[in-house]
Each structure stands twice: as structure tokens, then as C-alpha cells.
Amino acid sequence: MEGASKIINSGWIATDSLANSVQELSARYKGAVFAIDAPRMALPGKRNWYWGGGVWRPRAASEKGYGRHCEVVVKAHDLANPQWTPLAVDAQPWMKHGFDIFDALRGKAVCLEVFPTASYKMLNEVLDVRVDMSLSKFMPGPKDMLDAVVAALTGHEYLAGRGQEVGGGDGLGTIVLPRPIAQPNMEVMNWPGRFRRH
């Protein structure tokens, strides 16, 4: 495989000093790209558009209005079931950690938002994508560490030109995928009522 990847370090950082920890990582690994499995920001307000039945429609009064365009694209293409990004007041702790990481690295490092579950699905039949890894530090959370490895691999594949960035029409960030969507629905790829840059 061209541009093979190998894990050079793994571990855990304390969440009580998250901003300092990730800034130290970016200083230690200059030029590193961060692939983060969390939303980059909370919703500034309720989402006004919903996707269903192959069309965009206005949000019904009974709907929460959670989720960003990038998450809708992932869901609409049956790549994964997002935990819809909410307003900041309703965000779960892991989401808030993601917001903090993106904020701490703004202007200091390139940060990609990834979705490992979607990556697992997209790479399920791909035989030539491999990662050489140690299981060191996996014990506290094996699934979290495996997701971190797949997050890094997703970033690697995207930067190598084999992936795709989706969403962003609402101005609330994109999700990077390790491969292009095979048969994209162009209606859902474009946010309604707003020009989407490509």
C-alpha cells in the first residue's frame, strides 16, 4: 500500500486539562493532523431542515432540531447512525470534549472530524488497507482505542486523496470519510436554501 501507516504512540490524556494536553501533543508532533471522533461544535440553534423520503423539508414543531448537515449525509447514505449534535446545553460530556479539542487546536493544527463507524462500513470489503499497531494502552477502553486507530487511518486515507469530505452546507463542519460515497444522493449532499461550495 502506498503511504503505509504505522502507529508510533498511543495512550490516554486526562480530560481535566484537555486543552493543554492536546496543545502539548500538537507542539510535540509538529505538522500532525488530528482526526477527531466528535463534533467540532454545538448547534448555535435548532436545525431548520430535515431529510426524509428523498427530499428536504422544514422541521416540524415536534422535532428537536438536532444534527448537522454532515451527520444527515452520513445517515442518509446508511453509513452510520449519528448521535445528533445538539445545542450546547444538551451536549453529552464526550461531545463537549470534542468541542474543547477543536477549540484548543484552532489555528495550531489541522483537525479533521471523522466517524469511525462509517469508516468501518466503507472499508469492510477493502483488503489493502492495513494498520500496524501495538495493543499498548488499549485496556482502559479497547473500543475507544480501536476507534482512535480507525480515526487516524481515515485521516490518512483522506489526505492521500482516497477519501471524501461531506456536509458543511450549514456552516457547522464536515465529516471526513476514508472513501468517496459510491452512489451519492446529490440532493442530500447539498444543504437547502444555501449555496454549497465544492
Side-chain angles (χ1 to χ4, degrees):
M1 174 176 128
E2 182 184 326
S5 57
K6 179 178 181 177
I7 293 178
I8 57 171
N9 198 356
S10 63
W12 297 80
I13 56 176
T15 57
D16 59 348
S17 58
L18 196 53
N20 288 338
S21 297
V22 296
Q23 287 173 354
E24 287 170 13
L25 278 174
S26 70
R28 187 180 328 148
Y29 299 104
K30 293 200 182 304
V33 174
F34 287 74
I36 302 166
D37 176 19
R40 69 178 55 244
M41 65 177 60
L43 291 181
K46 292 182 177 183
R47 172 165 53 111
N48 291 322
W49 294 99
Y50 269 65
W51 176 260
V55 296
W56 287 105
R57 62 167 175 79
R59 174 176 51 87
S62 61
E63 293 171 320
K64 286 185 176 180
Y66 290 175
R68 298 170 298 139
H69 183 212
C70 53
E71 296 161 351
V72 174
V73 171
V74 166
K75 174 68 174 168
H77 288 95
D78 195 30
L79 295 174
N81 289 316
Q83 295 184 48
W84 303 106
T85 301
L87 303 172
V89 68
D90 297 322
Q92 298 173 31
W94 70 269
M95 289 182 175
K96 291 178 180 178
H97 293 322
F99 306 156
D100 291 345
I101 292 169
F102 278 106
D103 285 346
L105 293 176
R106 187 173 289 117
K108 296 179 176 66
V110 174
C111 295
L112 305 174
E113 183 178 336
V114 297
F115 198 152
T117 303
S119 297
Y120 293 129
K121 186 159 189 176
M122 293 189 103
L123 298 174
N124 187 51
E125 301 294 329
V126 178
L127 300 178
D128 64 342
V129 176
R130 304 176 188 280
V131 176
D132 176 15
M133 67 180 179
S134 156
L135 296 181
S136 171
K137 309 290 191 280
F138 267 55
M139 202 51 209
K143 177 65 166 68
D144 292 324
M145 286 299 285
L146 186 56
D147 281 354
V149 169
V150 172
L153 174 67
T154 299
H156 177 271
E157 291 296 290
Y158 172 73
L159 293 172
R162 293 184 284 270
Q164 179 181 14
E165 188 176 24
V166 298
D170 56 3
L172 302 176
T174 59
I175 289 176
V176 164
L177 301 170
R179 291 290 182 272
I181 295 172
Q183 295 179 326
N185 180 313
M186 297 313 293
E187 289 297 318
V188 77
M189 297 291 270
N190 290 291
W191 188 247
R194 179 175 171 173
F195 177 72
R196 164 96 165 92
R197 65 181 172 83
H198 294 278

